[in-house]
């Protein structure tokens, strides 16, 4: 009987081994070095900008260097007319560029989203300008706007305009010329993001709308646009920040001229630091620009209700 009881007794369950913490920490250990490097490359410049904004720092005038407190900021808001002019132009530049890029990008996305012969080639041609660097884009448009060999020369040959006309040196045409050059590169950004979001719209919604007798315009207004709401908000915000910080294209095309007509705030900061070597004042201008962008971004996201439900 004792032997039978011993045989019938179920074996004891195996003891659970304590899970090692190493596998769970391994991903963080692997990305740790890269994260520290990125933090160093990002945090140090940001902290140094805030530090130098409180300093009088000009390597060409070392005898004047030292702690300045908030003098640089006081000068910006009370004694720097160029700051207000460049800030006004920056707002105008961002509003016009982002608005037009969104409009044309949405139109292109709707076109290439349709089914037609050669759609792949069409999409590649539409998106290709976005792969071109800003400096190369500027070089292309500098050649196109050249008064001797560019577009104006061929227009003059056809009797439109006069020879030797330079759109980039005329205060009445320089803004439009710069806008067109930046549109060529910026429109594909919106087209790419909007097209990617259009791919996720269910075709059943459009079929149901057609059954109910909704026109193409109503389908666009009540189905397409609400679905694209978050994509449009995010893309316009990102592009607005990039256009505000646009330096390479305007610097190469116009250098901020003629007569400072196309000088944005970042371009003014670059000229103050690189040309005038006034790094303390340029850091203060950068800090002000950062606060302006941060404030406008928060307000825009709040007013647009990014991530909220579409009603």
């Amino acid at each position: 009987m004792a032997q039978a009881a011993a045989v019938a007794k179920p074996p004891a369950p195996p003891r659970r081994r304590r899970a090692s913490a190493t596998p769970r920490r391994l991903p963080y250990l692997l990305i740790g070095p890269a994260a520290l490097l990125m933090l160093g490359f990002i945090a140090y410049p940001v902290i140094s900008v805030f530090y130098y904004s409180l300093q009088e720092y000009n390597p060409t005038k070392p005898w004047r260097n030292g702690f300045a407190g908030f003098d640089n900021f006081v000068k910006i808001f009370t004694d720097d007319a160029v700051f207000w002019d460049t800030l006004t132009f920056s707002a105008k530049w961002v509003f016009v560029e982002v608005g037009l890029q969104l409009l044309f990008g949405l139109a292109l996305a709707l076109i290439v989203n349709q089914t037609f012969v050669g759609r792949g080639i069409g999409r590649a041609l539409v998106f290709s300008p976005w792969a071109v660097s800003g400096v190369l884009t500027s070089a292309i448009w500098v050649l196109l706007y050249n008064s001797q060999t560019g577009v104006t020369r061929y227009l003059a040959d056809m009797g439109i305009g006069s020879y030797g006309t330079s759109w980039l040196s005329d205060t009445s045409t320089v803004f439009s010329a710069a806008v067109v050059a930046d549109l060529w590169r910026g429109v594909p950004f919106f087209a790419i993001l909007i097209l990617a979001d259009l791919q996720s719209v269910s075709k059943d919604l459009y079929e149901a709308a057609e059954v109910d007798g909704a026109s193409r315009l109503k389908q666009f207004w009540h189905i397409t646009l609400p679905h694209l709401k978050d994509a449009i908000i995010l893309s316009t915000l990102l592009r607005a920040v990039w256009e505000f910080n646009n330096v390479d294209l305007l610097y190469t095309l116009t250098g901020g001229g003629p007569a400072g007509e196309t000088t944005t705030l970042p371009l003014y900061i670059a000229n103050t630091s690189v040309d005038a070597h006034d790094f303390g004042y340029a850091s203060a201008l950068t800090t002000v620009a950062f606060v302006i962008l941060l404030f406008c971004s928060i307000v825009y996201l709040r007013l647009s209700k990014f991530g909220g439900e579409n009603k």
Side-chain angles (χ1 to χ4, degrees):
M1 293 294 294
Q3 292 179 351
V7 172
K9 185 178 180 181
R15 299 181 61 183
R16 299 181 61 182
R17 295 183 179 180
R18 186 176 180 180
S20 176
T22 303
R24 288 181 295 177
R25 296 175 182 176
L26 183 60
Y28 301 100
L29 294 176
L30 292 176
I31 67 174
L36 291 176
L37 285 175
M38 292 181 62
L39 181 63
F41 281 110
I42 295 175
Y44 175 75
V46 171
I47 295 173
S48 63
V49 165
F50 288 124
Y51 170 77
Y52 283 114
S53 67
L54 302 175
Q55 305 290 321
E56 182 74 28
Y57 182 67
N58 190 331
T60 62
K61 301 176 183 178
W63 59 88
R64 297 179 56 182
N65 294 344
F67 181 73
F70 293 99
D71 291 347
N72 289 328
F73 296 97
V74 173
K75 180 182 177 181
I76 290 174
F77 293 106
T78 61
D79 194 31
D80 191 352
V82 178
F83 165 76
W84 295 107
D85 292 339
T86 56
L87 182 61
T88 302
F89 177 76
S90 297
K92 175 184 176 182
W93 173 263
V94 170
F95 181 79
V96 172
E97 278 292 343
V98 175
L100 291 177
Q101 289 177 20
L102 173 61
L103 180 63
F104 289 115
L106 176 61
L108 280 177
L110 292 173
I111 292 173
V112 298
N113 190 46
Q114 304 299 318
T115 302
F116 56 89
V117 178
R119 185 174 65 173
I121 298 176
R123 288 180 176 180
L125 292 175
V126 168
F127 301 152
S128 59
W130 182 245
V132 182
S133 66
V135 175
L136 184 56
T137 299
S138 305
I140 293 172
W141 285 94
V142 165
L143 293 175
L144 289 174
Y145 288 144
N146 187 281
S147 60
Q148 302 299 322
T149 60
V151 177
T152 55
R153 169 65 184 274
Y154 293 100
L155 290 177
D157 291 339
M158 294 184 295
I160 303 175
S162 58
Y163 291 99
T165 302
S166 178
W167 291 341
L168 296 177
S169 61
D170 189 344
T171 55
S172 62
T173 58
V174 63
F175 179 75
S176 300
V179 165
V180 171
D182 199 48
L183 278 177
W184 180 78
R185 183 169 182 260
V187 167
F189 169 77
F190 284 95
I192 293 170
L193 289 184
I194 293 175
L195 177 63
D197 209 26
L198 282 174
Q199 302 295 311
S200 62
V201 182
S202 175
K203 294 183 179 180
D204 295 339
L205 296 176
Y206 294 105
E207 293 175 357
E210 289 181 0
V211 171
D212 292 339
S215 63
R216 287 291 184 89
L217 181 60
K218 288 185 177 180
Q219 292 178 30
F220 173 76
W221 187 259
H222 295 287
I223 298 177
T224 306
L225 272 185
H227 186 86
L228 297 176
K229 171 178 172 285
D230 285 348
I232 291 176
I233 293 173
L234 182 60
S235 59
T236 51
L237 177 60
L238 292 176
R239 196 60 187 162
V241 173
W242 292 340
E243 288 297 344
F244 184 88
N245 292 319
N246 191 329
V247 173
D248 53 357
L249 185 136
L250 288 174
Y251 182 80
T252 308
L253 281 180
T254 66
E261 287 289 327
T262 58
T263 302
T264 59
L265 181 55
L267 187 54
Y268 176 46
I269 294 172
N271 292 334
T272 302
S273 58
V274 177
D275 297 337
H277 305 289
D278 194 349
F279 294 100
Y281 192 66
S283 298
L285 289 169
T286 304
T287 302
V288 172
F290 169 77
V291 174
I292 292 174
L293 283 177
L294 180 62
F295 175 77
C296 292
S297 300
I298 294 174
V299 172
Y300 179 67
L301 291 176
R302 289 291 183 87
L303 293 179
S304 61
K305 298 179 180 179
F306 177 73
E309 294 183 358
N310 299 322
K311 295 183 180 181

